[in-house]
């Protein structure tokens, strides 16, 4: 098995574990529905329990590179080290070109954080809507993929800054507005501000996958399961993923629509084809069938 396939498998397993972990941290069987006391999200949008160390103290190219190389084979790690050494000794346009190559190289082996950090360097040197959106998208992907609780807020902050920089170049850019809304909903600002931005996006692009996915997740977090269902159905119709089906199943289950929830969970299992998630879903499906 080559290192690229192995790295991709690690990312997939990590994503599945993150999904299951997210669901286990909430009482999925009966998510607490909002009341006047418990239904409000934090006013300042601060990520729950998150520390706020400076991003530079948590994220750096050097530390991210070392960590990423630990899951690569020696040959790939050596190739990247050689490219990094060239980057360190370069100046001007050559340095930026090497940063682009390193961003692509890390992306090719599914190591998202160092790829994002090099894209940030590119955007700083060649600022445009396109370069800042590319950096923001990669930071969001890294945020969604990592289980490092210290890195998560730092990655989210970098994504937030990248999207703001993109919108300074073009205030009408839908992708940047969507990304900024996602960062706000996930903890960087008043959640309703982020929701408003995402609603503005879907008003212009009703099938926008990222906006609908995050609106659906927010609806689940706030116990608005009926509002979550059409969001996930829109995502599934456009770009079906295990996560979208799983969250759809969660919303349906909490509304007592158990047969439909079973179908959604089984679709999630089929798409993910992962033993960890499959085991969890099998137990969930058996539980729901016993209720019918």
């Amino acid at each position: 098995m080559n290192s690229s396939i192995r790295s991709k498998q690690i990312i997939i397993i990590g994503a599945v574990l993150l999904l299951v972990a997210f669901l286990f941290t909430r009482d999925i069987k009966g998510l607490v529905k909002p009341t006047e006391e418990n239904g409000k999200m934090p006013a300042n949008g601060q990520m729950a329990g998150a520390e706020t160390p400076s991003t530079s103290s948590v994220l750096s190219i050097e530390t991210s590179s070392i960590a990423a190389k630990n899951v690569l084979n020696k040959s790939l790690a050596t190739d990247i080290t050689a490219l990094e050494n060239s980057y360190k000794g370069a100046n001007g346009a050559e340095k930026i070109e090497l940063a682009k190559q390193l961003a692509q190289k890390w992306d090719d082996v599914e190591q998202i954080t160092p790829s994002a950090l090099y894209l940030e360097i590119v955007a700083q040197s060649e600022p445009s809507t396109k370069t800042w959106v590319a950096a923001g998208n990669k930071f969001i992907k890294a945020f969604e993929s990592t289980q490092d609780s210290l890195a998560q807020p730092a990655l989210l902050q970098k994504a937030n800054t990248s999207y703001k920089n993109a919108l300074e170049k073009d205030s009408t850019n839908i992708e940047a507005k969507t990304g900024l809304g996602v960062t706000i909903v996930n903890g960087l600002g008043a959640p309703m501000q982020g929701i408003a931005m995402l609603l503005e996006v879907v008003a212009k692009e009703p099938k926008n996958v990222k906006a609908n996915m995050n609106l659906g997740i927010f609806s689940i977090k706030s116990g608005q399961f009926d509002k979550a269902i059409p969001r996930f159905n829109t995502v599934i119709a456009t770009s079906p993923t295990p996560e979208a089906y799983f969250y759809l199943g969660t919303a349906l289950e909490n509304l007592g629509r158990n047969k439909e929830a079973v179908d959604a969970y089984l679709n999630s299992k089929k798409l993910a084809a992962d033993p960890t998630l499959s085991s969890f879903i099998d137990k969930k499906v058996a539980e729901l069938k016993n209720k019918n």
Side-chain angles (χ1 to χ4, degrees):
M1 183 184 299
N2 64 45
S3 61
S4 179
I5 293 175
R6 184 167 59 250
S7 296
K8 186 167 291 188
Q9 287 179 334
I10 291 170
I11 294 295
I12 292 171
I13 292 170
V16 170
L17 290 176
L18 273 174
L19 173 61
V20 174
F22 173 86
L23 294 166
F24 269 125
T25 58
R26 293 151 176 81
D27 183 8
I28 296 307
K29 190 174 180 181
L31 274 168
V32 178
K33 296 190 178 183
T35 64
E36 289 184 358
E37 290 75 28
N38 66 25
K40 299 176 182 178
M41 302 299 288
N44 63 2
Q46 177 65 40
M47 294 180 71
E51 298 294 330
T52 56
S54 67
T55 55
S56 60
S57 68
V58 176
L59 292 178
S60 72
I61 286 177
E62 290 76 14
T63 56
S64 297
S65 173
I66 290 170
K69 287 174 188 174
N70 286 335
V71 300
L72 301 181
N73 67 38
K74 186 175 181 180
S75 176
L76 278 173
T78 299
D79 289 346
I80 290 175
T81 297
L83 196 57
E84 287 175 330
N85 289 336
S86 297
Y87 167 80
K88 291 174 184 176
N91 295 292
E94 181 187 6
K95 195 176 188 73
I96 302 309
E97 180 57 35
L98 287 168
K100 292 177 183 178
Q101 292 180 32
L102 280 160
Q104 185 61 56
K105 192 78 170 178
W106 281 120
D107 191 53
D108 289 343
V109 295
E110 299 286 350
Q111 297 304 312
I112 307 170
T113 297
S115 177
L117 290 168
Y118 278 109
L119 286 177
E120 181 184 39
I121 289 171
V122 172
Q124 289 167 343
S125 299
E126 298 179 353
S128 69
T129 301
K130 181 179 179 180
T131 56
W132 279 118
V133 166
N137 288 346
K138 197 65 70 175
F139 279 123
I140 278 288
K141 187 176 180 182
F143 165 76
E144 293 172 343
S145 300
T146 187
Q147 296 182 64
D148 186 333
S149 60
L150 287 178
Q152 283 178 336
L155 290 164
L156 194 64
Q157 180 62 65
K158 281 186 172 289
N160 181 275
T161 300
S162 297
Y163 290 128
K164 285 180 177 177
N165 288 336
L167 287 169
E168 285 181 3
K169 299 291 182 182
D170 179 7
S171 62
T172 66
N173 188 274
I174 290 293
E175 195 171 4
K177 186 170 291 186
T178 304
L180 183 60
V182 170
T183 66
I184 294 171
V185 169
N186 277 283
L188 290 184
M192 293 314 300
Q193 178 191 2
I195 293 298
M197 295 184 74
L198 295 178
L199 288 173
E200 184 179 339
V201 169
V202 296
K204 293 180 179 179
E205 293 186 358
K207 296 182 179 180
N208 188 290
V209 169
K210 186 182 288 186
N212 276 291
M213 187 71 176
N214 281 273
L215 285 168
I217 291 172
F218 183 87
S219 293
I220 281 189
K221 288 180 179 180
S222 58
Q224 300 177 80
F225 306 110
D226 55 334
K227 292 184 178 181
I229 290 171
R231 297 299 179 190
F232 295 127
N233 279 332
T234 297
V235 172
I236 289 165
T238 305
S239 181
T241 64
E243 292 83 1
Y245 272 116
F246 204 122
Y247 287 125
L248 175 62
T250 300
L252 290 165
E253 179 186 351
N254 279 275
L255 291 173
R257 295 162 62 176
N258 293 343
K259 186 177 183 303
E260 295 170 87
V262 166
D263 290 340
Y265 284 135
L266 290 177
N267 279 321
S268 177
K269 173 183 174 180
K270 181 178 179 181
L271 284 181
D274 180 89
T276 303
L277 186 59
S278 293
S279 177
F280 180 80
I281 287 176
D282 287 343
K283 293 176 182 177
K284 176 63 68 177
V285 166
E287 175 189 329
L288 291 177
K289 286 183 175 180
N290 285 335
K291 290 182 178 181
N292 293 333

